[in-house]
Amino acid sequence: MNKFVKECRREWKRLRVPDAVANEMAADLAADLEEADAEGASIEDVLGSSAFDPRSFAAAWAAERGVTQPSPATGKPARGSIPLATIVAAAIALIGAAIVILTTTSAHGVAAVPSRPALPAPPQILEPHGHVPAVDAPTLGLLLLVMGVIGIVTTLVWILRTRAGSRPGPLAQ
Amino acid sequence: MAAAERRTQMLRGVLDLCLLAVMDEGPAYGYEMTKRLRARGLSIVGEGSIYPLLARLERDGLVETYRTASNDGPPRKYYHASCDGKRTLADGVSEWRSTRDAVDAVLGLLEPEVQP
């Protein structure tokens, strides 16, 4: 079977197109491509630019047939969830950046003040139950900043991959 | 905008009518329609496959299909326009002609000079 048809079948399987429909589309396509080949025409003569993107071609065809079943793992999320995830990640990054900047600035400000005689350290209060390790503000800020940036990058990569995987052919819109 | 891209954009709005028109000559399978269109100079059809569009026409009830054995090959799926499809073709041809005439009235008489 033609390599292009094999790629299409793989995509239809991924999209959970019923076997009967996938077999029918594959048979029609294979027959047309074989006829074109026998006449000396290339696959590009039959499919144009779609010849270079079997996944998009197969997905567009299945979608127009109305047989695409998005699986729970690959289904699209709700329309508002992507912008919301991006906003949350950006907010976390901003908060982290603000903490880092403020704490760094104040630390420098303290350093510029003339030194005073050291005061005796306050007595430590011992907690009888449990102990929560203290995290200083710059570390917390840096942590939030990194988490936010990772969130933004992950969301963007996901969006790009989703768009690339569902792009139909130029005339199939 | 490149010339090929402009042609693709213009064709996008009427390719369904072109397919219905070549089907009106007689039932045809996918590649046969591509050849009929190419014989009339529409080789640009290759810039986007007709298969998804044929599926849409079938889903919209504008074409009907049947599968039959061909003379020298495997069984093929033949398409022909339904009553709704023929009505859509007639309306579409009328719309196309009025649009073409209006555009011709603007662009048809121009003889643009291209500066070197």
Side-chain angles (χ1 to χ4, degrees):
Chain A
M1 185 184 287
N2 186 289
K3 187 185 170 192
F4 186 90
V5 179
K6 278 185 185 170
E7 289 284 326
C8 289
R9 290 199 75 109
R10 198 170 296 133
E11 182 65 7
W12 289 327
K13 195 175 182 66
R14 192 185 73 78
L15 294 171
R16 300 169 68 195
V17 172
D19 285 346
V21 180
N23 290 340
E24 183 195 310
M25 291 192 291
D28 289 338
L29 183 60
D32 282 359
L33 293 179
E34 280 169 22
E35 184 179 335
D37 187 49
E39 292 176 357
S42 67
I43 184 171
E44 201 182 337
D45 291 330
V46 182
L47 301 172
S49 54
S50 299
F52 305 109
D53 191 358
R55 285 186 61 187
S56 295
F57 166 78
W61 193 1
E64 293 295 355
R65 290 281 306 246
V67 290
T68 307
Q69 297 174 22
S71 62
T74 57
K76 289 184 178 176
R79 182 179 281 268
S81 62
I82 297 170
L84 185 67
T86 312
I87 289 169
V88 168
I92 291 172
L94 272 177
I95 292 169
I99 292 173
V100 169
I101 291 168
L102 287 174
T103 51
T104 308
T105 309
S106 62
H108 288 165
V110 168
V113 173
S115 59
R116 292 181 296 179
L119 295 173
Q124 288 191 344
I125 300 169
L126 296 175
E127 295 179 11
H129 300 293
H131 174 68
V132 178
V135 178
D136 59 340
T139 308
L140 179 66
L142 199 62
L143 203 63
L144 288 173
L145 180 60
V146 170
M147 283 171 59
V149 170
I150 289 172
I152 291 169
V153 170
T154 307
T155 312
L156 289 177
V157 167
W158 190 87
I159 290 170
L160 289 174
R161 287 188 63 181
T162 306
R163 284 184 179 171
S166 62
R167 192 174 297 145
L171 290 176
Q173 292 169 16
Chain B
M1 184 186 288
E5 189 183 341
R6 187 186 299 283
R7 281 198 71 186
T8 301
Q9 295 274 4
M10 288 193 286
L11 187 58
R12 186 177 291 165
V14 291
L15 185 56
D16 58 338
L17 297 177
C18 294
L19 288 174
L20 288 169
V22 294
M23 275 179 230
D24 206 40
E25 298 170 11
Y29 52 88
Y31 182 54
E32 197 174 2
M33 278 184 258
T34 302
K35 287 193 286 186
R36 286 183 189 179
L37 291 169
R38 190 174 293 139
R40 286 157 182 76
L42 277 181
S43 56
I44 189 99
V45 160
E47 289 307 312
S49 170
I50 64 169
Y51 297 91
L53 188 50
L54 285 171
R56 188 189 307 172
L57 292 174
E58 185 178 6
R59 200 183 58 189
D60 292 345
L62 300 180
V63 299
E64 290 166 352
T65 64
Y66 60 92
R67 191 169 288 274
T68 188
S70 57
N71 294 333
D72 50 352
R76 311 299 281 261
K77 185 177 183 178
Y78 283 81
Y79 296 80
H80 65 97
S82 65
C83 289
D84 280 350
K86 288 179 179 174
R87 204 171 298 123
T88 299
L89 177 61
D91 293 345
V93 167
S94 173
E95 286 167 19
W96 164 255
R97 286 179 180 154
S98 64
T99 304
R100 181 200 60 192
D101 291 346
V103 174
D104 269 353
V106 177
L107 301 179
L109 300 176
L110 285 180
E111 290 181 12
E113 291 179 12
V114 179
Q115 298 294 330

